[in-house]
Amino acid sequence: MGPEELNRVTNNWKRILDQSNQFDFTRMLEECLKYGNYPPVEVLILDEGQDVSPLQLALVKMWAEQTRLNYLAYDKDQAIYEFQGASPTLVDSLTPKREEIPLLESYRCPEKIVNGAKKLISRNSVRTGVDYHSVSAVQPGEI
C-alpha cells in the first residue's frame, strides 16, 4: 500500500468514526491531548516505556506535569513497536534528569536463555549497556 492509498484509507476510517460518533484508541489519545484530560492522581507509572509511540509520549508528558512522582520502567533491549512509531530512545526525553536503577537479575529465564538473548541484543544499535544475568533459582531450559 502506497502513501496515497494509506491516506485514503485513514481518511475514510476517520470519516466513519465521525459519522458514527465512535472512538478508536488513537482518537481517545488525541482527544485527551486536545482537551487536556488527565487522571486526578499524584503518581504516574509508565511500564514498557521503550514501546510508547510519539502520541502516547505526548500524553504521558502532559500527565507527568500534573503528578508529584513519575516512575518509568523501560528496557531499550526489549523495544518491539518501532513499526508503530515507537523508539527505545523516545522515553529519554521525558525526564532528562532522573535516577536510573538498572535491574540486572532475571528471575524469568535460566542462564542459558539469558546468554542466548545477550548474543542477539548485542547487535542492537541502541543499547542500555546493562549486563543482565540469571538468578540461579531459575531452572535450566532449552534454546
Side-chain angles (χ1 to χ4, degrees):
M1 179 182 303
E4 290 178 13
E5 180 71 7
L6 182 59
N7 277 338
R8 188 183 66 73
V9 169
T10 301
N11 290 335
N12 283 340
W13 176 246
K14 288 180 179 180
R15 184 178 43 74
I16 291 168
L17 290 175
D18 287 340
Q19 290 173 348
S20 60
N21 198 27
Q22 299 291 315
F23 287 77
D24 63 2
F25 184 65
T26 299
R27 182 165 282 185
M28 286 191 303
L29 298 179
E30 291 169 343
E31 293 292 309
C32 284
L33 278 171
K34 180 178 175 181
Y35 295 107
N37 297 342
Y38 58 89
V41 297
E42 293 185 23
V43 178
L44 173 69
I45 301 171
L46 173 65
D47 193 15
E48 303 296 345
Q50 73 278 356
D51 289 327
V52 297
S53 70
L55 177 59
Q56 292 167 331
L57 182 69
L59 189 62
V60 169
K61 281 183 175 182
M62 182 183 77
W63 289 354
E65 292 173 1
Q66 309 300 323
T67 55
R68 185 174 52 81
L69 291 171
N70 298 299
Y71 293 98
L72 313 174
Y74 63 99
D75 183 347
K76 293 177 184 177
D77 290 333
Q78 293 186 27
I80 58 173
Y81 286 99
E82 289 187 71
F83 69 94
Q84 290 183 342
S87 167
T89 58
L90 274 179
V91 76
D92 289 336
S93 69
L94 274 176
T95 53
K97 297 178 183 177
R98 65 184 176 268
E99 176 187 0
E100 291 192 9
I101 304 170
L103 304 177
L104 306 175
E105 299 171 336
S106 171
Y107 290 87
R108 293 182 180 173
C109 303
E111 196 68 32
K112 191 173 185 181
I113 303 292
V114 171
N115 289 339
K118 283 181 182 180
K119 288 178 185 174
L120 288 174
I121 63 176
S122 68
R123 296 186 236 167
N124 290 352
S125 60
V126 179
R127 286 293 324 277
T128 57
V130 174
D131 185 26
Y132 309 100
H133 63 275
S134 178
V135 174
S136 61
V138 179
Q139 297 300 313
E142 293 185 25
I143 296 180

